[in-house]
Amino acid sequence: MTTRSAPVTGERRQLINVAYRMLGSLADAEDAVQEAYARWYAMPAGRREAVGSPGAWLTTVVSRVCLNHLRSARVRREHYVGQWLPEPLADPAERNAARTPGIASDPADLITLDESVGMAFLIVLDSMSPAQRVAFVLHDVFRYPFPEVARIVGRTPAACRRLASTARRAIRTAQESAATSTAEDAVVVRELKRAWETNDVDALIRLLDPEVAAVGDGGGVVRTLEHPLRGSERIARGLLRFGPRQSGQTLLERTVNGRPGLVGCQDGAVVTVYSFGVSDHRVRHLWAMRNPEKLRSWATAPAA
C-alpha cells in the first residue's frame, strides 16, 4: 500500500509560504503548519488514503487555522505592548553565511522572498479583514480559483471575488506610491546609513520624506517608539539620539523581506532590524523591529 508520508512532508515549503503571508509571523506560521500536520496524522490511515490531494487538504487546513488566528488576533493585539509589526525575514544566503556549519536550516529559509512578503505589502495585508487577507493571498498570490477559496473561507465565490478585489485595490494603491526598484532603494538606504553613522542630521533630513512615518515594535520587552513618529526633522533627530555612536551598535546593509534594509548588531547579536519604504529617492516609512521574539531567526549577527 502507498503511504502519504513523503508527499505530505514535501508540502512543508508551500504551507510555510502560505501561512507566513497570511499571518505576518514566522512563529505563528510554523504553529499553523504543525497544527495541519497534527490533524493529518490524527486521521485514520484509511481516511488519509482516501484524500486525493494531500497538499490541497493541508493547504485548506492551514488556511482555516490562519483565518481563525486572524479573527482572534485583534483581541490579542489589544494586550500587545506598543506597535505590532510583521516579523522580518533575512535573505537565506546572507543569513546562512553566518550560520555554524552543520546547524540545520531554519523554517525562514523556506520562505520565497518576492513582492508579496515585502514589509510594505505585509503592512497593507495587516490592515485588511481576515477574510479579505485570506482570499487575496490564496487567489492573487497562490492562484487558487475562487470556488476553492470560497470553500476555505466559508463565503460564496462571488463574495470571495469581491473580497479579493477590494484587497487588490489597497495593494495597488500602496505599490503605486512606492514604485521604486531594489537598486534605487539600496542607494537610499546606503546613504541613510552613512549619514546616520556620521551624525549628519542635515543629510538625514534630506533623505527622509517630509511626511515620513517611523514605527517600532519592541513587544514590551525592549525600549522602542511607543507610538508612530512623523516628520523628517523629528525622526532624523530621534535617529541620532539612538544612533550607532550612542548605542554602540554596528549597522550592516542587509536584505530584509526581499528589499534593502539595515541590521543593528551589538556584541555579536542582532538587536534591531530596520525596513524601509522608499519613494522618489526618499524614505517614506521606517519600520524598526526590536522585539527579541521576532528576531529569533536573526539571532546571530551576519558577517560584515
Side-chain angles (χ1 to χ4, degrees), residues 1-57:
M1 179 179 292
T2 309
T3 66
R4 295 289 190 180
S5 299
V8 168
T9 302
E11 296 291 337
R12 182 173 174 77
R13 175 182 292 274
Q14 171 80 353
L15 297 173
I16 287 286
N17 273 274
V18 169
Y20 175 76
R21 285 161 175 79
M22 288 184 180
L23 301 177
S25 163
L26 184 60
D28 291 340
E30 289 181 79
D31 288 344
V33 172
Q34 287 301 112
E35 173 66 18
Y37 277 121
R39 294 186 190 183
W40 172 262
Y41 288 110
M43 286 196 302
R47 286 186 59 190
R48 289 202 302 270
E49 290 296 330
V51 175
S53 173
W57 188 95

Side-chain angles (χ1 to χ4, degrees), residues 14-23 28-29 31-37 39 55-71 130-139 142 144 148-154:
Q14 171 80 353
L15 297 173
I16 287 286
N17 273 274
V18 169
Y20 175 76
R21 285 161 175 79
M22 288 184 180
L23 301 177
D28 291 340
D31 288 344
V33 172
Q34 287 301 112
E35 173 66 18
Y37 277 121
R39 294 186 190 183
W57 188 95
L58 285 165
T59 300
T60 295
V61 174
V62 164
S63 299
R64 287 175 176 165
V65 170
C66 289
L67 185 58
N68 290 336
H69 182 95
L70 289 169
R71 285 169 174 162
Q132 275 182 332
R133 184 167 186 168
V134 172
F136 176 83
V137 168
L138 287 174
H139 180 266
F142 292 97
Y144 275 71
E148 288 188 39
V149 176
R151 183 170 54 83
I152 292 170
V153 177

Side-chain angles (χ1 to χ4, degrees), residues 15-230:
L15 297 173
I16 287 286
N17 273 274
V18 169
Y20 175 76
R21 285 161 175 79
M22 288 184 180
L23 301 177
S25 163
L26 184 60
D28 291 340
E30 289 181 79
D31 288 344
V33 172
Q34 287 301 112
E35 173 66 18
Y37 277 121
R39 294 186 190 183
W40 172 262
Y41 288 110
M43 286 196 302
R47 286 186 59 190
R48 289 202 302 270
E49 290 296 330
V51 175
S53 173
W57 188 95
L58 285 165
T59 300
T60 295
V61 174
V62 164
S63 299
R64 287 175 176 165
V65 170
C66 289
L67 185 58
N68 290 336
H69 182 95
L70 289 169
R71 285 169 174 162
S72 63
R74 296 185 188 279
V75 176
R76 291 197 305 276
R77 297 274 180 88
E78 293 177 2
H79 303 286
Y80 193 84
V81 179
Q83 305 298 306
W84 188 95
L85 290 174
E87 183 175 346
L89 296 175
D91 182 278
E94 293 177 356
R95 192 165 63 85
N96 291 343
R99 176 178 286 142
T100 302
I103 298 297
S105 62
D106 191 279
D109 296 342
L110 302 177
I111 305 292
T112 301
L113 298 179
D114 57 27
E115 65 176 11
S116 66
V117 295
M119 190 59 64
F121 195 100
L122 292 175
I123 294 290
V124 177
L125 286 181
D126 197 56
S127 69
M128 299 176 185
S129 71
Q132 275 182 332
R133 184 167 186 168
V134 172
F136 176 83
V137 168
L138 287 174
H139 180 266
D140 282 52
V141 179
F142 292 97
R143 303 303 179 190
Y144 275 71
F146 280 119
E148 288 188 39
V149 176
R151 183 170 54 83
I152 292 170
V153 177
R155 308 280 185 97
T156 65
C160 289
R161 191 174 287 107
R162 288 192 294 272
L163 288 171
S165 177
T166 301
R168 197 177 302 124
R169 285 196 296 272
I171 291 291
R172 188 179 299 121
T173 299
Q175 289 176 328
E176 288 173 353
S177 66
T180 59
S181 69
T182 301
E184 290 173 317
D185 285 11
V187 170
V188 173
V189 171
R190 186 171 299 118
E191 290 178 352
L192 185 142
K193 173 179 178 286
R194 185 181 303 119
W196 199 359
E197 289 175 329
T198 57
N199 283 355
D200 190 339
V201 66
D202 292 331
L204 280 174
I205 292 173
R206 287 195 299 271
L207 289 164
L208 299 174
D209 186 272
E211 301 300 318
V212 62
V215 179
D217 182 341
V221 180
V222 297
R223 184 181 181 187
T224 189
L225 297 172
E226 293 183 11
H227 307 285
L229 201 61
R230 292 188 177 275

Side-chain angles (χ1 to χ4, degrees), residues 4 21 41 86 121 154 173 179 186 204 235 242 244-245 263 269 274-275 287 297:
R4 295 289 190 180
R21 285 161 175 79
Y41 288 110
F121 195 100
T173 299
L204 280 174
I235 290 176
F242 302 100
R245 290 187 179 181
V263 171
Y274 301 95
S275 310
W287 298 289
S297 63

